[in-house]
Amino acid sequence: MRYFEIIESAEQSAAQRAQQKQRNARDRIAHAHEKRSAAATRYQDQLKACDDAIKQAQASLREASVRSYALRDRKGQLLGWIEPQGRLIQGKDRAGTVVGWYDARQNVTRDRHGVLFGTGDLLSALIVCKR
């Protein structure tokens, strides 16, 4: 009889070990799902933050961008116009020839020959002087 009890005890302990392994495996799977879910949430949060930053940068760029505009005298006659050209802003006379440009990075205005005209945006002065 003792022999059957030993065999039965061994089978029970083997079954208990198998159940414990299954529980451990389920716990590891649940933990991996939690980690994956947390990582996905962090990733989504980072994507949203990047999207918000892009939208904010685009909005500030639209606000700060210089659009073309005409310069006119008191009578309304066209003197010239100022328009963005890449990173430079060009000043043109009424005939459409370039009279100079303003470089915002260097904060200088140059005439059509590239000679320094002054510091700051002096394109309107260049256009008026050209007249």
Side-chain angles (χ1 to χ4, degrees):
M1 241 345 195
R2 180 93 174 116
Y3 175 74
F4 289 116
E5 290 174 3
I6 293 173
I7 299 270
E8 189 175 307
S9 171
E11 288 175 356
Q12 285 177 354
S13 66
Q16 287 175 349
R17 281 194 305 270
Q19 287 176 349
Q20 185 62 35
K21 282 184 180 181
Q22 286 180 344
R23 268 184 263 155
N24 289 343
R26 282 190 210 111
D27 289 344
R28 284 194 307 269
I29 290 171
H31 183 65
H33 282 303
E34 288 172 8
K35 283 177 65 176
R36 186 182 70 190
S37 176
T41 301
R42 283 193 309 273
Y43 177 71
Q44 291 296 327
D45 290 346
Q46 290 173 351
L47 282 179
K48 182 165 178 11
C50 289
D51 287 342
D52 292 344
I54 289 170
K55 288 177 186 174
Q56 187 177 21
Q58 287 174 340
S60 67
L61 183 63
R62 277 192 295 272
E63 291 172 5
S65 67
V66 176
R67 292 186 175 86
S68 297
Y69 61 93
L71 292 176
R72 299 183 181 273
D73 63 6
R74 291 182 195 173
K75 297 177 186 175
Q77 293 179 342
L78 181 68
L79 298 175
W81 63 89
I82 295 175
E83 63 183 23
Q85 204 69 10
R87 72 178 185 96
L88 301 175
I89 301 172
Q90 282 187 346
K92 296 183 179 184
D93 62 3
R94 73 180 83 178
T97 60
V98 176
V99 294
W101 64 88
Y102 170 66
D103 187 352
R105 288 186 187 170
Q106 296 177 354
N107 194 29
V108 294
T109 302
R110 298 186 180 274
D111 67 4
R112 68 174 145 215
H113 303 292
V115 177
L116 181 67
F117 185 73
T119 58
D121 186 359
L122 302 173
L123 286 177
S124 55
L126 257 176
I127 292 170
V128 171
C129 289
K130 169 78 166 105
R131 199 181 98 164

